[in-house]
Amino acid sequence: MPRNDDRGSALVSTMIVLVLLAGLTAGMTAIVVSDTRVRALDSTRTQAFYASHAGLEQLTADLGDLFSGNFAPTAAQINALTLNPPDLGVAWQEPGGGNGYRITFPAGAGGNPAAATMTVMSGPFQGLIGLATPYRLSSTARLPDRSEATLTRTLQTVAIPVFQFGIFSENDLSFFAGPNFNFGGRVHTNANLFVAEGNGNTLTLADRVTAVGEIVRTHLSNGWATSVNYTGNVSVIRAPGVFRNLAANEGSLVGTIGTARNEPTWTNLSTGTYNHNIATGNTGAKRLDLPVVNFGAQPIDLIRRPLPGENVDAPLVLQERFFSLASLRILLSDAAADINGLPGVSAQPPLALGIAEPGGYVGVPFAESPGPGGGGNQTGVRTPANTPVLGGFLKIERQGPAGVWTDVTLEILNLGIAGRQWVDTAGAPAGCAEISPTAVIRLQRMRDLNACATAAQQNSAFNYSPNILYDAREAMQRDGLTAADPVRFGGIIAYVEIDARNLSRWFQGAIGTTGNQALNVNGYTVYFSDRRGNRNAANAETGEYGFEDLVNPASGTGAINNVLDTGEDFNGNGQLESYGATPRAPAAVPGGAPMPWGNLSWPLAAAARPWTSVDPGGAVGQAEEALIARRNPPIFFRRALKLTNGRLGNLVAPGLTIASENPVYVQGDWNANGAFGNPHVATAVIADAVTLLSNAWNDRTSVTNAHSMTNRDAVTTWYRLAVIAGKGISFPQPAGTVQDFGTDGGAHNFLRYLEDWSDQTLNFRGSIVSLYTSRQGNGTYKCCVTVYSPPTRGYNFDTDFLTPALLPPRTPMFRDVNTTGFAQIIRP
């Protein structure tokens, strides 16, 4: 029988259990509800995350597209990208209500993105100093339930000046100097690198060396084995101040191009022993291309004229050309339409360089032919009387800060057009005063006289001749002509001279009237293009010499064979160009058709070729041969630009860049004065080819006994500038030729010579860049009988170029975009 004090305990227990069960049920329900809510929140946050990520990717893609055409966009161009976020059903809004789809950057002048100097820490530009602009991309996506996600990405655009390299080459690059050679600076080629050194001497590569192709130690680029005469040391840097010789069996191939890879030896050397200080494409080297290449053009398009309509068809290419970047551009053509049809030229028509001077021009008359005769000012003349000697049309334009081009042809011409007279008896100026002391460009020269020209002689058009020099490299297919060999048409170079001092004075406003209104971008840039006489079979200008039949390995003299041999296809079109070997007779009137050959006195006949003599029968002797070359209009497209009077103190600060579609000859000390002194300025010459002429160079004696170096004795001269130019194409060494024939001359001969530099020093400080094959100065490399005798090379990289502020104006830049960070911002 139950006790009375146990009554109700079961009920209490039941109630307790029920309470516990209710609590458990409530807890489980709360957990389920909470989990449901968390899952829903997580789902919306995930949705917001992916929407934000999509927005960030579109922002990145849009910015990348903008950078592909413009590595220095304005603030307005960048901000415009933030106005069209993707339509994903979210609000692009920051928690505080600000724009959640934006790009931020450090602002400089005018609110535009500012670049800062920095050292690149990784990638193909590692160790170089460039201009970097950081950008921060931010994407915040908010859903209607206020769920949101914020993602950020940081990136930077990097601009690396091409002159930060000591030596850069788009094509195969070679080192094989006989004497010690240590230029300094980074070395890079987008192709193959051939390295060797003369017996008993050392090539020193004192900075990082990269070749996208292979590195060859066993042969020169023409196939010559380095075991013969090239057994010197190739000393390559391993670490700061630490070097090791790269042995002949330690290239990336076991032999020359086409042989097996030298593995694992090469990879172990490149990545281990040398700590990546020498590399090929297989061990980390990467191609470096300029923006003009990314836009579908070629590097040589930097110096070429644009095509008609290019402002519509390829505006990104047009904006990279020096034609567009210049402060001053000088254009010459046979027909006015060839200049008028170029994009962006001003409305003023080009000026005819013929018999009748234009209104507003005040100066000596344009040169005319006095007609062939038996003596006096008619000696050597082979064109009819009153034939224009200069010919063609000229247009000179100045670009202002706002990008507007203004014709300044008459302003420049009124400063003078004539060069100094060379007295016939002494072959030297002998104190004759300058005829045009303030001339910026010189289109002609006073003919040789026995005394300084009188005022009356200076005012006679019959007393002027074209500017002519003789280039033995361009004249011959093979080296070794004798002093008795006559002048050849291919070596007669007709040039326009720029007086660098007067050009600088014009930019400074010291002479002329509007030069100080020219566009100044860290200095001034001049663009030059002379296409007079340049016509192919379709009667169109090409900007190329048009004669490539130069090698013929089966011939001891390189005689033409009408076959496209290795080393001849300069423009890479797979065809042998020959139209440049057809002479063009001078026009009777400016812009007129070439006169019939029958109207011209022998030997200016239709049968003339670049390799033929101006005196094929040897009837007149060398003295008159020289006059024939110097007194007549050129009949082949052999045009050039000569730079003079550029000594220390003569050049405009802070810098001057000369870009020329034609070959350039730099005569005398440049940006130096018997030493590399101060205050120097940042200068560059960018051209089809660059030849350095010493302080002793004389145009007149270059043509007299043209194939004897005794007339071309150089003296020690100094040059401080960066150079971009073309070079030749290597080909197999023809039987019977010297050991380096068939190479492009190597880095030590990239800067061309035409004098006997024996016992003299050529001092050069700058940067050497080869971006293309020469299209006009395409004579094969040859030395050392007729063309030149080598100097003592005082060559060094100019370390000023490692400071971006000290670079020449409009220095071409390699561009890169690097992502530097990615993050999600978590907010409570």
Side-chain angles (χ1 to χ4, degrees):
M1 178 175 189
R3 297 174 53 187
N4 291 335
D5 56 357
D6 290 333
R7 296 175 188 167
S9 61
L11 179 60
V12 171
S13 297
T14 301
M15 293 299 293
I16 292 173
V17 170
L18 290 173
V19 170
L20 291 173
L21 288 173
L24 184 60
T25 300
M28 291 295 293
T29 301
I31 291 173
V32 170
V33 171
S34 177
D35 182 68
T36 300
R37 289 177 176 174
V38 168
R39 286 178 180 272
L41 182 60
D42 184 63
S43 176
T44 56
R45 283 180 174 173
T46 300
Q47 183 180 350
F49 173 87
Y50 284 114
S52 177
H53 192 273
L56 188 65
E57 291 303 318
Q58 177 167 319
L59 203 55
T60 303
D62 290 345
L63 188 60
D65 289 342
L66 178 61
F67 286 149
S68 69
N70 183 0
F71 273 79
T74 64
Q77 291 172 318
I78 293 172
N79 291 333
L81 302 179
T82 67
L83 302 179
N84 297 297
D87 184 6
L88 301 175
V90 299
W92 303 98
Q93 190 177 42
E94 295 277 4
N99 183 11
Y101 191 77
R102 57 195 176 94
I103 303 172
T104 56
F105 47 83
N112 294 318
T117 301
M118 52 86 72
T119 300
V120 180
M121 302 308 295
S122 62
F125 298 126
Q126 182 177 357
L128 294 174
I129 300 170
L131 298 172
T133 303
Y135 294 88
R136 184 176 185 270
L137 287 62
S138 178
S139 171
T140 300
R142 176 176 291 189
L143 296 179
D145 66 354
R146 303 184 66 81
S147 300
E148 69 177 41
T150 299
L151 299 177
T152 64
R153 175 174 287 150
T154 56
L155 54 82
Q156 62 183 5
T157 58
V158 182
I160 302 295
V162 67
F163 297 140
Q164 289 239 322
F165 289 88
I167 299 176
F168 180 96
S169 181
E170 171 67 18
N171 303 311
D172 287 350
L173 176 63
S174 297
F175 290 89
F176 56 90
N180 295 331
F181 193 75
N182 180 8
F183 186 75
R186 287 276 291 268
V187 174
H188 177 86
T189 171
N190 279 338
N192 303 303
L193 176 65
F194 296 81
V195 283
E197 179 62 26
N199 295 350
N201 296 308
T202 299
L203 164 66
T204 301
L205 299 173
D207 208 327
R208 194 178 185 203
V209 178
T210 47
V212 178
E214 305 294 346
I215 294 180
V216 177
R217 278 289 284 117
T218 58
H219 293 79
L220 302 186
S221 61
N222 66 349
W224 182 274
T226 57
S227 58
V228 181
N229 296 336
Y230 291 102
T231 61
N233 296 323
V234 176
S235 181
V236 181
I237 191 169
R238 296 178 58 191
V242 180
F243 293 82
R244 176 187 180 275
N245 291 334
L246 184 70
N249 63 350
E250 291 182 341
S252 65
L253 302 177
V254 298
T256 191
I257 302 301
T259 61
R261 296 199 55 78
N262 188 16
E263 294 295 356
T265 300
W266 171 250
T267 296
N268 292 337
L269 286 167
S270 175
T271 62
T273 305
Y274 287 102
N275 192 29
H276 295 279
N277 282 303
I278 184 168
T280 59
N282 283 358
T283 57
K286 304 294 184 184
R287 277 195 62 88
L288 302 178
D289 289 313
L290 295 172
V292 70
V293 175
N294 296 329
F295 303 153
Q298 302 177 58
I300 197 171
D301 285 306
L302 291 175
I303 61 169
R304 301 190 78 170
R305 288 190 192 181
L307 299 172
E310 188 170 271
N311 52 327
V312 175
D313 299 332
L316 297 180
V317 174
L318 178 62
Q319 73 182 14
E320 294 294 320
R321 296 185 190 270
F322 279 96
F323 173 91
S324 300
L325 299 173
S327 312
L328 184 76
R329 62 188 179 203
I330 303 168
L331 308 172
L332 297 106
S333 282
D334 288 324
D338 290 320
I339 297 174
N340 289 332
L342 299 174
V345 297
S346 58
Q348 183 73 22
L351 183 147
L353 298 177
I355 297 170
E357 273 73 54
Y361 169 68
V362 180
V364 299
F366 293 145
E368 300 173 27
S369 171
N377 69 350
Q378 295 175 292
T379 304
V381 176
R382 294 294 186 269
T383 49
N386 301 317
T387 302
V389 172
L390 302 179
F393 291 81
L394 168 69
K395 187 170 178 60
I396 307 176
E397 297 182 302
R398 169 183 49 80
Q399 183 172 198
V404 176
W405 290 92
T406 303
D407 190 283
V408 292
T409 307
L410 288 176
E411 178 184 347
I412 296 295
L413 292 186
N414 283 333
L415 295 173
I417 64 169
R420 170 174 284 187
Q421 172 192 349
W422 294 97
V423 178
D424 187 43
T425 53
C432 292
E434 291 278 9
I435 295 173
S436 302
T438 61
V440 171
I441 66 170
R442 294 189 168 94
L443 303 173
Q444 59 190 32
R445 47 166 286 279
M446 173 63 63
R447 71 177 178 90
D448 296 340
L449 297 169
N450 292 322
C452 296
T454 65
Q457 288 171 323
Q458 291 181 20
N459 288 325
S460 170
F462 292 158
N463 283 324
Y464 290 96
S465 298
N467 293 323
I468 297 292
L469 62 82
Y470 194 73
D471 188 322
R473 171 171 173 159
E474 297 299 316
M476 303 176 294
Q477 270 90 337
R478 295 281 195 274
D479 198 12
L481 294 181
T482 69
D485 281 299
V487 171
R488 299 187 177 194
F489 281 109
I492 301 172
I493 308 298
Y495 67 83
V496 172
E497 176 184 337
I498 288 183
D499 185 305
R501 178 175 180 271
N502 286 338
L503 173 69
S504 297
R505 294 174 66 207
W506 183 76
F507 279 130
Q508 293 165 332
I511 57 176
T513 56
T514 69
N516 57 0
Q517 300 172 29
L519 178 65
N520 182 339
V521 181
N522 197 37
Y524 299 93
T525 301
V526 176
Y527 176 74
F528 178 86
S529 171
D530 187 349
R531 290 188 173 184
R532 289 173 294 171
N534 173 219
R535 299 283 170 179
N536 63 12
N539 201 37
E541 291 184 339
T542 66
E544 300 180 358
Y545 178 26
F547 177 60
E548 298 176 334
D549 200 353
L550 304 170
V551 174
N552 190 0
S555 168
T557 61
I560 65 166
N561 61 355
N562 298 311
V563 174
L564 184 62
D565 296 306
T566 302
E568 294 181 337
D569 191 7
F570 288 89
N571 59 14
N573 67 356
Q575 301 175 9
L576 180 68
E577 308 291 356
S578 60
Y579 62 86
T582 301
R584 292 183 58 83
V589 295
M595 60 176 60
W597 285 111
N599 290 5
L600 299 170
S601 175
W602 171 92
L604 298 183
R609 296 291 181 267
W611 58 88
T612 62
S613 166
V614 301
D615 181 23
V620 300
Q622 290 183 329
E624 189 162 343
E625 287 174 12
L627 288 174
I628 291 172
R630 300 176 66 220
R631 297 229 54 196
N632 294 283
I635 60 174
F636 294 99
F637 180 48
R638 307 262 68 186
R639 299 286 182 175
L641 174 67
K642 185 198 272 190
L643 303 178
T644 63
N645 210 8
R647 305 183 77 186
L648 191 71
N650 285 0
L651 301 178
V652 63
L656 176 66
T657 292
I658 307 290
S660 170
E661 187 178 38
N662 307 89
V664 167
Y665 296 81
V666 182
Q667 180 175 330
D669 287 337
W670 183 268
N671 202 21
N673 191 9
F676 292 128
N678 290 305
H680 69 278
V681 302
T683 67
V685 172
I686 302 170
D688 179 79
V690 173
T691 301
L692 301 181
L693 306 174
S694 79
N695 288 319
W697 176 264
N698 183 317
D699 290 344
R700 181 177 182 274
T701 57
S702 75
V703 188
T704 306
N705 296 324
H707 305 114
S708 171
M709 277 197 285
T710 58
N711 289 323
R712 292 180 271 125
D713 291 326
V715 296
T716 294
T717 309
W718 302 70
Y719 310 84
R720 187 170 193 168
L721 71 160
V723 173
I724 297 177
K727 58 184 177 182
I729 306 170
S730 294
F731 52 88
Q733 180 210 13
T737 60
V738 295
Q739 62 197 28
D740 58 356
F741 186 68
T743 72
D744 60 20
H748 56 297
N749 286 309
F750 175 72
L751 301 170
R752 303 181 182 191
Y753 324 119
L754 289 176
E755 297 168 90
D756 184 355
W757 285 87
S758 302
D759 303 319
Q760 301 295 320
T761 300
L762 194 156
N763 299 284
F764 174 83
R765 182 176 293 180
S767 172
I768 291 174
V769 177
S770 176
L771 290 180
Y772 35 80
T773 55
S774 300
R775 306 301 171 84
Q776 296 183 29
N778 62 358
T780 55
Y781 162 74
K782 50 187 80 74
C783 175
C784 301
V785 178
T786 301
V787 178
Y788 77 94
S789 183
T792 298
R793 296 181 179 90
Y795 279 25
N796 294 103
F797 173 57
D798 193 340
T799 56
D800 274 6
F801 295 154
L802 296 178
T803 302
L806 300 180
L807 288 164
R810 301 296 198 177
T811 294
M813 302 273 188
F814 297 112
R815 310 285 188 169
D816 200 11
V817 179
N818 299 324
T819 298
T820 57
F822 177 84
Q824 179 180 6
I825 297 177
I826 306 298
R827 296 188 179 93

